[in-house]
Coordinates of all heavy atoms in Angstrom, one line a residue:
P550 N -35.2 -0.4 17.3 CA -36.4 -1.1 17.5 C -36.3 -2.3 18.6 O -37.2 -2.4 19.4 CB -36.7 -1.7 16.1 CG -36.0 -0.8 15.2 CD -34.8 -0.3 16.0
W551 N -35.2 -3.1 18.4 CA -35.0 -4.3 19.3 C -34.8 -3.8 20.7 O -35.4 -4.3 21.7 CB -33.9 -5.1 18.9 CG -34.4 -6.2 18.0 CD1 -34.1 -6.4 16.6 CD2 -35.1 -7.4 18.4 NE1 -34.6 -7.6 16.2 CE2 -35.3 -8.3 17.2 CE3 -35.6 -7.9 19.6 CZ2 -36.0 -9.4 17.3 CZ3 -36.4 -9.0 19.6 CH2 -36.5 -9.8 18.4
L552 N -34.0 -2.8 20.8 CA -33.7 -2.2 22.3 C -35.0 -1.7 22.9 O -35.3 -1.9 24.1 CB -32.7 -1.1 22.2 CG -31.3 -1.6 21.9 CD1 -30.3 -0.3 21.8 CD2 -30.7 -2.5 23.0
A553 N -35.9 -1.1 22.1 CA -37.1 -0.5 22.6 C -38.0 -1.8 23.0 O -38.7 -1.7 24.1 CB -37.9 0.3 21.6
I554 N -38.2 -2.8 22.2 CA -38.9 -4.0 22.5 C -38.4 -4.6 23.8 O -39.2 -4.9 24.7 CB -38.9 -5.0 21.4 CG1 -39.7 -4.4 20.2 CG2 -39.6 -6.2 21.8 CD1 -39.5 -5.1 18.9
L555 N -37.1 -4.8 23.9 CA -36.6 -5.4 25.1 C -36.7 -4.6 26.3 O -36.9 -5.1 27.4 CB -35.1 -5.8 24.8 CG -34.8 -6.8 23.8 CD1 -33.3 -6.9 23.4 CD2 -35.4 -8.1 24.2
M556 N -36.7 -3.2 26.2 CA -36.8 -2.3 27.3 C -38.2 -2.4 27.9 O -38.4 -2.5 29.1 CB -36.5 -0.9 26.9 CG -36.7 0.1 28.0 SD -36.6 1.8 27.3 CE -38.1 1.9 26.4
I557 N -39.2 -2.4 27.0 CA -40.6 -2.6 27.4 C -40.8 -3.9 28.0 O -41.5 -4.0 29.1 CB -41.6 -2.4 26.2 CG1 -41.4 -1.0 25.7 CG2 -43.0 -2.7 26.5 CD1 -42.1 -0.7 24.3
S558 N -40.3 -5.0 27.4 CA -40.6 -6.3 28.1 C -39.8 -6.4 29.4 O -40.3 -7.2 30.3 CB -40.0 -7.4 27.1 OG -38.5 -7.3 26.9
A559 N -38.7 -5.7 29.6 CA -38.1 -5.8 30.9 C -38.9 -5.1 32.0 O -38.5 -5.3 33.2 CB -36.6 -5.0 30.8
T560 N -39.9 -4.4 31.7 CA -40.7 -3.8 32.7 C -41.5 -4.9 33.5 O -41.9 -4.7 34.6 CB -41.8 -2.8 32.1 OG1 -42.6 -3.6 31.1 CG2 -41.1 -1.7 31.5
F561 N -41.6 -6.1 32.9 CA -42.2 -7.2 33.6 C -41.4 -7.6 34.9 O -42.0 -7.8 36.0 CB -42.3 -8.5 32.7 CG -43.3 -8.4 31.7 CD1 -42.9 -8.3 30.3 CD2 -44.6 -8.2 32.0 CE1 -43.9 -8.2 29.4 CE2 -45.6 -8.2 31.0 CZ -45.1 -8.2 29.7
T562 N -40.1 -7.5 34.8 CA -39.1 -7.7 36.0 C -39.4 -6.7 37.0 O -39.4 -7.0 38.2 CB -37.7 -7.7 35.6 OG1 -37.3 -6.5 35.0 CG2 -37.4 -8.8 34.5
G563 N -39.6 -5.5 36.6 CA -39.8 -4.3 37.5 C -41.2 -4.6 38.2 O -41.4 -4.3 39.4
S564 N -42.2 -5.0 37.4 CA -43.5 -5.3 38.1 C -43.5 -6.4 39.1 O -44.1 -6.4 40.1 CB -44.5 -5.7 37.0 OG -44.6 -4.7 36.1
I565 N -42.6 -7.4 38.8 CA -42.4 -8.6 39.7 C -41.8 -8.1 41.1 O -42.2 -8.5 42.2 CB -41.7 -9.6 39.1 CG1 -42.5 -10.3 37.9 CG2 -41.3 -10.8 40.1 CD1 -41.6 -11.2 37.0
I566 N -40.7 -7.3 40.9 CA -40.1 -6.8 42.1 C -41.0 -6.0 43.0 O -41.0 -6.0 44.1 CB -38.8 -5.9 41.7 CG1 -37.8 -6.8 41.0 CG2 -38.2 -5.2 42.9 CD1 -36.6 -6.1 40.5
E567 N -41.8 -5.1 42.3 CA -42.8 -4.3 43.0 C -43.8 -5.2 43.7 O -44.2 -4.9 44.9 CB -43.5 -3.4 42.0 CG -44.5 -2.4 42.6 CD -45.1 -1.4 41.6 OE1 -44.8 -1.6 40.4 OE2 -45.9 -0.5 42.1
K568 N -44.2 -6.3 43.0 CA -45.3 -7.1 43.7 C -44.7 -7.8 44.9 O -45.5 -8.0 45.9 CB -45.6 -8.2 42.6 CG -46.7 -9.1 43.2 CD -47.1 -10.2 42.1 CE -48.1 -11.2 42.6 NZ -48.4 -12.2 41.6
F569 N -43.4 -8.1 44.9 CA -42.8 -8.8 46.1 C -42.0 -7.8 46.9 O -41.1 -8.2 47.6 CB -41.8 -9.9 45.6 CG -42.6 -11.1 45.0 CD1 -42.7 -11.2 43.7 CD2 -43.0 -12.1 45.9 CE1 -43.5 -12.3 43.1 CE2 -43.7 -13.2 45.4 CZ -43.9 -13.3 44.0
E570 N -42.4 -6.6 46.9 CA -41.7 -5.5 47.7 C -41.7 -5.8 49.2 O -40.8 -5.6 49.9 CB -42.3 -4.1 47.4 CG -41.6 -3.1 48.0 CD -42.2 -1.7 47.6 OE1 -43.2 -1.6 46.9 OE2 -41.6 -0.6 48.0
S571 N -42.8 -6.4 49.7 CA -43.0 -6.8 51.1 C -41.9 -7.7 51.5 O -41.4 -7.7 52.6 CB -44.4 -7.3 51.3 OG -44.6 -8.5 50.6
V572 N -41.6 -8.8 50.7 CA -40.6 -9.7 50.9 C -39.2 -9.0 51.1 O -38.4 -9.3 51.9 CB -40.5 -10.7 49.8 CG1 -39.4 -11.8 50.2 CG2 -41.9 -11.5 49.7

Side-chain angles (χ1 to χ4, degrees):
W551 267 110
L552 287 175
I554 292 168
L555 294 173
M556 179 188 70
I557 293 168
S558 63
T560 58
F561 288 115
T562 59
S564 300
I565 292 167
I566 292 172
E567 187 177 1
K568 182 179 178 182
F569 287 96
E570 190 176 359
S571 59
V572 177

